[in-house]
Amino acid sequence: MNTKPIPEMSDLSRHYWEQAQREALVLQRCTRCGTYQFYPRAWCTSCFCQELEWTPVSGRAEVFSFSIVHYPPFESYTDSVPYILATVKLEEGPQMMCNLLECDLDAVRVGLPVQVCYEVREGDFKVPQFRPVGGGA
Amino acid sequence: MSISGKVAVSGFAEMQPQKSPGDHTPLSIAADVGLEAIADAGLEKAEIDGLIVGSSISNPGWYWSLAAAEYLGLKTKFLQQYLMPTGMLWRAAAAIEAGLCNNVLCVVGDTWDSKLLMKKGPPPFPYLGEEMEAPYGVVGAPPGYAMITRRHMHEFGTTAEQLAKVAVDQRYNACHNPTALFGHKEIGIEDVLASRMICDPVHLLEAVSPCTGGAAFVVTSVEGAKRSDNPPVVLLGAGEAGNRWSLAAAKSLTTSPVKESAEGAFKMAGLTPADMDFAQLYDCFTAVVIISLEDAGFCAKGEGGRFVEANDLTFKGNSPCNTHGGQLSFGQPGIGGGMSQVVEAIRQLMGRGGARQVQGATRGFVNNNGGIMAKECSLVLGVG
């Protein structure tokens, strides 16, 4: 059983996580200035209006930076090391944290094209993750 | 109104860092070093009317500053809890200049339990990105700094050897500091690169070691500093900057708020990096030193790796940096590790550096870092 942490969702982010259960990646987008943002919040980070709407995005991204973690941050990760932690830049602009799955440790590099995928955790909870485009890498 | 040239540090004290807490508590340490610093400043405890106390990892209470005032038996007119010791110093200066108080004790004490990070969860550091970052195993500092390091290598060709050189020079300094936690054996670049990988590309010897310890200093008016036998260490400039929390939100991982904080400090002081006799730079990881050197203007952006390779960062060298060994070799007492950098700058400017004294040092730069290179506070200090 994958016992890695399940996020404690807030009312603001509930839709993001509910969509992830349907394997859809959604971001807030400002209907006034068009800015996409992540993580979910109550105000547009660009024009500070509150007219935000959830928008499905492509799930295409590239690796902005990464680390291969050899030291588990807490016990539920003990069996997972080494794992790849990455910040990816989504095609739509925002950056987010993830683990790169199905990726050789030797193949990861800054700029690597990646695609969203979903990791199943305890209670069938799906967490958005990324893997190299075309798989394997 | 500027606070430049108005206040001085007139006394300090520092506990020798140790790996385990022993009988110490954060407040017992704060009292030990606090009382010693007050005596070093030539003052009586009753004359201390301001207190800034560092947050404690092991006891993150809301009313920590009140607990500290009570424990130390201080009657304060200005009382604050604050993370960054560089920020404590200029806040103390501002409070004195504003007429709120006369003599401010700035103190940090903390204990460290190495098992803290290995709890099953929830993560010990709740933060804004918890929901969106903790599920990916980014808890604590090393993974974030590893991504900063990786990005610097990618953008500027910084090498593992250049990063390791920072740890090597600082270890040499620590070997001339009898209180350093890791000051018994010099290391070479090959030792750093052969040490265990924590979060690739960060090796064990490039990662800070949290420990138990603490330090304190007393800030008073330049006039009040004459009560002390120590040469007054005058605050010449201060600058602060910060604008994010989440690491994923950082538009750049390689340019830090040190750019703004250092610029502010140098501008207030009317001095430049070339005027500095040393730099004490927050160094939880080696890349932080390299990025801080660049952003503070000791070298151009992207040149930090080549700068540390070509220059001697030891106390005897042409670019003395982290002359106490840095937190990497001195130790990082709790969350207030940056206190060791402030205290080392004060010590050097008072001429109390002992075997590692930077000869003729009269001006120094100090930087503290918080979050994951998310907030920075810089100082320019001087004597004579």
Side-chain angles (χ1 to χ4, degrees):
Chain A
M1 174 54 75
N2 184 333
T3 58
K4 286 189 231 170
I6 305 293
E8 278 184 42
M9 62 186 83
S10 64
D11 286 346
L12 206 57
S13 65
R14 196 170 304 281
H15 185 73
Y16 172 85
W17 290 110
E18 283 173 356
Q19 289 301 303
Q21 305 319 302
R22 299 180 180 89
E23 303 202 353
L25 186 66
V26 294
L27 293 186
Q28 285 178 317
R29 184 169 187 257
C30 176
T31 58
R32 196 182 285 180
C33 74
T35 303
Y36 286 94
Q37 66 186 23
F38 184 83
Y39 51 92
R41 60 197 94 177
W43 296 81
C44 169
T45 53
S46 179
C47 72
F48 285 88
C49 80
Q50 291 192 286
E51 290 146 34
L52 303 164
E53 69 178 12
W54 288 104
T55 312
V57 293
S58 67
R60 283 190 293 272
E62 64 171 46
V63 173
F64 183 65
S65 195
F66 69 94
S67 172
I68 300 166
V69 179
H70 294 265
Y71 182 84
F74 36 83
E75 275 176 16
S76 60
Y77 271 81
T78 305
D79 296 333
S80 304
V81 292
Y83 62 91
I84 304 171
L85 177 73
T87 300
V88 297
K89 188 172 176 60
L90 296 164
E91 200 171 60
E92 291 79 8
Q95 296 174 171
M96 58 187 286
M97 208 71 86
C98 66
N99 301 126
L100 293 188
L101 307 183
E102 300 167 38
C103 182
D104 289 345
L105 297 183
D106 295 340
V108 56
R109 60 179 172 83
V110 173
L112 182 74
V114 292
Q115 174 71 39
V116 72
C117 61
Y118 295 86
E119 180 186 6
V120 180
R121 296 192 177 176
E122 207 164 6
D124 287 330
F125 191 92
K126 290 177 185 169
V127 173
Q129 294 281 26
F130 285 80
R131 68 179 174 213
V133 169
Chain B
M1 186 188 89
S2 167
I3 51 174
S4 178
K6 304 286 176 58
V7 305
V9 177
S10 58
F12 73 90
E14 187 171 55
M15 174 182 160
Q16 179 163 4
Q18 53 189 55
K19 269 320 272 184
S20 61
D23 291 338
H24 295 288
T25 68
L27 289 179
S28 77
I29 295 168
D32 287 347
V33 294
L35 296 174
E36 193 185 330
I38 294 165
D40 189 51
L43 297 174
E44 302 293 329
K45 187 160 74 75
E47 294 175 280
I48 298 294
D49 53 3
L51 173 66
I52 307 182
V53 60
S55 308
S56 160
I57 289 184
S58 54
N59 192 343
W62 281 16
Y63 298 107
W64 190 240
S65 59
L66 289 169
E70 181 184 275
Y71 197 102
L72 278 141
L74 296 175
K75 289 193 166 69
T76 60
K77 298 171 182 169
F78 170 64
L79 181 61
Q80 198 185 353
Q81 176 179 350
Y82 197 69
L83 278 174
M84 285 187 176
T86 46
M88 290 180 185
L89 206 161
W90 83 251
R91 280 166 175 76
I96 292 167
E97 267 306 284
L100 270 76
C101 54
N102 296 307
N103 304 304
V104 181
L105 176 68
C106 300
V107 60
V108 167
D110 212 352
T111 53
W112 179 262
D113 177 358
S114 60
K115 293 184 183 72
L116 188 66
L117 276 175
M118 283 300 285
K119 285 181 181 166
K120 268 184 183 166
F125 303 119
Y127 63 111
L128 195 63
E130 187 177 352
E131 182 184 349
M132 298 297 177
E133 297 187 0
Y136 300 111
V138 53
V139 174
Y145 284 101
M147 287 197 279
I148 287 175
T149 307
R150 170 71 61 196
R151 189 74 201 180
H152 202 276
M153 296 170 96
H154 171 78
E155 286 181 33
F156 305 116
T158 307
T159 66
E161 289 77 12
Q162 290 166 345
L163 288 154
K165 169 76 158 39
V166 173
V168 170
D169 281 2
Q170 291 189 182
R171 176 59 65 88
Y172 180 86
N173 290 338
C175 288
H176 294 77
N177 178 358
T179 68
L181 201 53
F182 305 99
H184 309 296
K185 191 174 167 231
E186 289 181 35
I187 52 173
I189 287 171
E190 62 286 358
D191 297 317
V192 177
L193 299 184
S195 66
R196 191 159 58 91
M197 197 65 95
I198 301 292
C199 288
D200 192 348
V202 173
H203 300 83
L204 181 67
L205 291 179
E206 298 176 287
V208 80
S209 180
C211 62
T212 291
F217 57 85
V218 174
V219 184
T220 185
S221 64
V222 168
E223 189 58 32
K226 290 176 182 164
R227 294 268 304 278
S228 167
D229 293 334
N230 299 314
V233 173
V234 179
L235 174 65
L236 300 176
E240 197 167 289
N243 52 21
R244 69 164 169 84
W245 190 209
S246 149
L247 182 72
K251 289 197 171 60
S252 169
L253 291 180
T254 52
T255 295
S256 76
V258 174
K259 199 165 166 26
E260 289 84 24
S261 65
E263 190 179 81
F266 283 124
K267 189 178 170 196
M268 188 189 289
L271 296 169
T272 70
D275 299 317
M276 298 298 106
D277 297 313
F278 59 76
Q280 314 293 355
L281 307 174
Y282 198 98
D283 64 320
C284 45
F285 297 89
T286 49
V288 178
V289 173
I290 286 176
I291 291 172
S292 299
L293 283 166
E294 293 171 356
D295 289 339
F298 288 91
C299 62
K301 177 49 65 186
E303 291 298 316
R306 286 173 283 278
F307 180 88
V308 299
E309 185 176 49
N311 291 283
D312 183 351
L313 307 184
T314 72
F315 65 92
K316 292 188 203 169
N318 60 336
S319 299
C321 180
N322 288 333
T323 48
H324 61 316
Q327 295 174 57
L328 287 173
S329 279
F330 175 76
Q332 180 184 51
I335 213 162
M339 187 58 128
S340 74
Q341 261 97 9
V342 178
V343 163
E344 178 67 6
I346 296 164
R347 183 187 283 117
Q348 288 284 347
L349 291 170
M350 286 183 177
R352 293 160 70 179
R356 64 183 189 283
Q357 179 65 42
V358 176
Q359 295 306 318
T362 60
R363 300 280 183 271
F365 178 78
V366 193
N367 190 69
N368 278 180
N369 156 56
I372 299 185
M373 295 213 88
K375 182 180 178 187
E376 309 290 339
C377 181
S378 309
L379 299 176
V380 175
L381 301 174
V383 72

